[in-house]
Amino acid sequence: FVGSSNKTECKSMDLSWNKYIDKKLEFHDQLLLDTIRRDQDPVVREYMRLLALCHTVMVEEKESELVYQAASPDEEALVTAARNLGYVFLSRTQDTITISELGIQRTYKVLALLDFNSVRKRMSVLVQDPEGCIKLYTKGADSVILERLHGDQTNEGCTIKALDSFAAETLRTLCLAMKEVDKKEYALWSKKHHAASILLQGRAQELDKIYEEIEQNLKLLGATAIEDKLQDGVPETIHLLKRGDIKVWVLTGDKQETAVNIGFACQLLSEDMIILEESKISEILEPTWYSSNSLIGSSEALCNNSSFLPYQASGGHVKKALVVTGDFLEKIFHTEEEKKAKKMKGLLESLCFRTADTSKEHGNLIEKAFVELATTCQAVICCRVTPKQKALIVQMVKRHKNAISLAIGDGANDVNMIKTADIGVGISGQEGMQAVQCSDYALAQFRYLQRLLFVHGKWSYLRISKFLRYFFFKTFAGMMVQIWFAFYTGFTAQVSVNSPAPP
């Protein structure tokens, strides 16, 4: 929940040939600009087309200028970048997308739009160009794009190096890929897609399977990087939170390298911290991970584990930070094992066998051990997590720790987390207003959290304590009058104050 301003900047030369150029733009890469304008490299051409075609941005013209409206500021930044470099998104209808490619207007027929979601971590668009060629354009997280590439990719190595370099600079990255689709292959796939889209039950799951079929054997085009600037006062606010003995957990969908570097940028992490990664965490949690015979024995084994004791006993003497990914958290949440256990339990019950439901207890033991380890750390970073996992993390902490949880976020992917926490704080910004609408408190910037907690929070405690003292005094005074009056009336149950007469 680190605050960010979501403002992008391009790092001057003559761009007057592009009438759609942003007049405030500053661009310094003459080589890239010359390569795009020569229009001789097919990879660069398809890269720029992808930026102009693969999105859900809406456009309208105001005072002879194009105004883009997007659900995500990242999408708007990429489409704007393509416009400034000569590939201009002009209009969209239900079935077509019209763009200007270096001054030449072209209209593409949209055959299918493969939506983005937190599980797929990518989106695609299937289009037919004016020449009749069918192409699939895909953009998404590097972890899902790279594993769907065609075997022979000459530029994969340099792209991975660029991604690592971008992550080190705390930039948010995406991979871009495409492929040409044979008309016969598309005709067969289109029938399956239509059949899945009209299902009444399980439509989303079936569509994901159909999308998976066509998003294979892709050709890598390159990567993008967007700077998500920290808001003013974020490092100072986090420092105050840590001084107030408040545990700070960062839950983000960014890749691990980006998340860790953002942690250093906002002073959540420091150079003198020991960073516990997944391999070390697995070693510490091993007694609970694999023990299923005796839950009590496994709990004792965890407490006596030589790997766990130093971190549990060190307390605040050794600064530690914990870094995990969404895939690792799936094991902690025990979701896959629970699904298998439910299927097996149903099968055994159908065969008239009684089963003991130990999988849930075992999963709770693993969660408790993980929370105990995490709370000994000064910082926790969970990267590549989905909105559902963010909410599950909050639930896990509430279940195993007697503590008040506060969640703060600025986007639609933070809504579940904000609603699950005891206190939800939404930040209004360029990510939209969904987080604010679902929160208990709304802030304009992350740094205002320190005043909410340390000023208004303290005042609230003082007001409540004064109210409770008054409440006890009022109750005691009223009851003592009634008790003394009972002695005076000989315990006849006569009230000391008559009720008002009915109107």
Side-chain angles (χ1 to χ4, degrees):
F1 44 63
V2 176
S4 58
S5 61
N6 294 115
K7 293 182 179 179
T8 57
E9 293 183 1
C10 295
K11 295 189 174 179
S12 211
M13 63 187 63
D14 182 21
L15 296 171
S16 58
W17 54 272
N18 183 2
K19 66 177 181 179
Y20 297 102
I21 191 72
D22 184 356
K23 296 177 175 57
K24 297 180 181 179
L25 174 72
E26 292 185 2
F27 193 79
H28 298 284
D29 195 336
Q30 184 68 50
L31 177 60
L32 175 61
L33 193 62
D34 292 342
T35 303
I36 293 173
R37 293 194 66 184
R38 282 197 299 266
D39 197 25
Q40 296 176 353
D41 191 329
V43 174
V44 174
R45 186 188 309 122
E46 296 295 347
Y47 180 98
M48 298 306 299
R49 281 178 180 168
L50 189 151
L51 294 180
L53 292 171
C54 187
H55 55 79
T56 57
V57 175
M58 303 302 294
V59 61
E60 59 179 334
E61 191 168 346
K62 290 183 179 180
E63 299 177 356
S64 69
E65 289 187 2
L66 297 177
V67 178
Y68 294 141
Q69 297 179 351
S72 165
D74 290 3
E75 271 205 333
E76 183 182 351
L78 294 176
V79 176
T80 302
R83 180 189 69 183
N84 291 331
L85 295 174
Y87 285 73
V88 186
F89 169 51
L90 296 176
S91 64
R92 177 196 295 275
T93 67
Q94 185 175 357
D95 301 319
T96 63
I97 295 178
T98 301
I99 65 174
S100 172
E101 300 180 1
L102 300 176
I104 302 174
Q105 185 168 312
R106 291 167 61 90
T107 299
Y108 291 80
K109 182 179 180 181
V110 179
L111 304 177
L113 181 65
L114 286 57
D115 297 326
F116 170 89
N117 61 48
S118 58
V119 177
R120 283 168 36 80
K121 298 180 182 178
R122 62 189 183 277
M123 76 161 292
S124 303
V125 61
L126 193 62
V127 298
Q128 186 176 36
D129 64 18
E131 291 76 26
C133 183
I134 299 175
K135 296 179 181 180
L136 176 75
Y137 294 101
T138 303
K139 66 179 181 182
D142 54 351
S143 58
V144 296
I145 297 296
L146 296 178
E147 64 185 17
R148 288 168 173 78
L149 299 179
H150 188 271
D152 184 19
Q153 296 290 329
T154 56
N155 58 343
E156 182 176 354
C158 61
T159 302
I160 294 175
K161 290 181 180 178
L163 288 170
D164 294 338
S165 175
F166 293 150
E169 299 176 26
T170 70
L171 304 178
R172 303 172 68 171
T173 59
L174 287 175
C175 277
L176 312 182
M178 60 84 64
K179 77 170 185 178
E180 294 188 8
V181 181
D182 184 72
K183 292 185 178 181
K184 293 182 179 179
E185 179 186 355
Y186 166 71
L188 181 62
W189 180 86
S190 180
K191 293 179 181 178
K192 296 181 181 179
H193 178 258
H194 177 72
S197 63
I198 60 176
L199 289 176
L200 298 179
Q201 293 182 345
R203 181 188 304 169
Q205 293 81 0
E206 196 63 30
L207 282 174
D208 285 348
K209 294 179 183 178
I210 300 301
Y211 293 166
E212 186 73 27
E213 289 184 11
I214 201 169
E215 292 174 328
Q216 300 291 337
N217 299 320
L218 302 174
K219 177 183 177 182
L220 183 64
L221 297 177
T224 65
I226 296 177
E227 182 178 10
D228 197 359
K229 288 185 176 181
L230 288 177
Q231 295 180 355
D232 295 336
V234 171
E236 295 81 1
T237 302
I238 291 181
H239 178 67
L240 286 175
L241 294 176
K242 292 166 69 176
R243 284 188 60 190
D245 199 24
I246 297 175
K247 298 292 183 181
V248 180
W249 292 32
V250 176
L251 315 180
T252 177
D254 293 333
K255 60 186 297 184
Q256 181 170 335
E257 293 82 358
T258 303
V260 170
N261 283 289
I262 290 175
F264 281 106
C266 66
Q267 297 182 13
L268 179 65
L269 303 179
S270 57
E271 296 294 343
D272 59 344
M273 277 187 177
I274 300 174
I275 298 181
L276 304 179
E277 296 188 344
E278 294 177 0
S279 57
K280 188 63 179 178
I281 299 168
S282 299
E283 179 185 341
I284 296 171
L285 300 180
E286 189 173 3
T288 53
W289 205 282
Y290 298 104
S291 59
S292 57
N293 297 327
S294 172
L295 295 178
I296 299 176
S298 61
S299 178
E300 293 175 352
L302 172 70
C303 296
N304 296 325
N305 182 20
S306 59
S307 300
F308 184 68
L309 283 174
Y311 299 105
Q312 192 178 36
S314 60
H317 302 295
V318 179
K319 292 184 179 180
K320 305 176 295 297
L322 187 144
V323 180
V324 294
T325 62
D327 294 336
F328 185 85
L329 289 170
E330 281 297 317
K331 302 176 184 178
I332 299 294
F333 296 141
H334 222 55
T335 52
E336 294 299 326
E337 287 78 1
E338 282 186 5
K339 291 178 183 177
K340 294 178 182 178
K342 286 181 180 178
K343 290 181 180 179
M344 183 60 67
K345 183 179 179 181
L347 177 62
L348 293 175
E349 286 179 349
S350 65
L351 296 174
C352 300
F353 289 104
R354 292 186 178 181
T355 59
D357 190 10
T358 59
S359 61
K360 186 175 181 180
E361 296 178 18
H362 186 223
N364 287 337
L365 182 63
I366 296 175
E367 288 183 3
K368 185 175 182 180
F370 176 77
V371 173
E372 288 294 333
L373 175 62
T375 50
T376 65
C377 300
Q378 279 66 40
V380 176
I381 295 179
C382 303
C383 47
R384 287 296 190 207
V385 293
T386 64
K388 181 181 178 181
Q389 286 177 330
K390 291 181 180 182
L392 289 174
I393 292 170
V394 176
Q395 287 179 355
M396 178 177 64
V397 174
K398 290 173 64 177
R399 185 162 52 245
H400 298 289
K401 299 298 292 185
N402 185 22
I404 302 297
S405 60
L406 180 147
I408 180 170
D410 64 349
N413 56 350
D414 300 316
V415 169
N416 290 338
M417 174 184 70
I418 290 172
K419 295 174 71 174
T420 305
D422 297 307
I423 305 167
V425 180
I427 300 177
S428 59
Q430 298 187 19
E431 289 279 356
M433 297 296 290
Q434 294 96 326
V436 169
Q437 292 169 352
C438 298
S439 63
D440 302 305
Y441 298 93
L443 302 178
Q445 293 187 30
F446 182 83
R447 61 191 174 98
Y448 297 149
L449 182 64
Q450 56 182 290
R451 185 170 181 85
L452 174 67
L453 294 179
F454 301 130
V455 178
H456 296 285
K458 182 178 179 181
W459 288 352
S460 178
Y461 273 120
L462 292 174
R463 294 186 190 109
I464 291 174
S465 62
K466 290 179 180 179
F467 167 76
L468 288 175
R469 285 193 299 176
Y470 168 76
F471 176 80
F472 285 126
F473 170 77
K474 179 206 71 168
T475 305
F476 183 77
M479 291 305 298
M480 286 304 297
V481 170
Q482 187 65 34
I483 292 171
W484 183 259
F485 189 72
F487 280 102
Y488 179 76
T489 59
F491 296 93
T492 58
Q494 182 179 352
V495 296
S496 59
V497 180
N498 293 328
S499 301

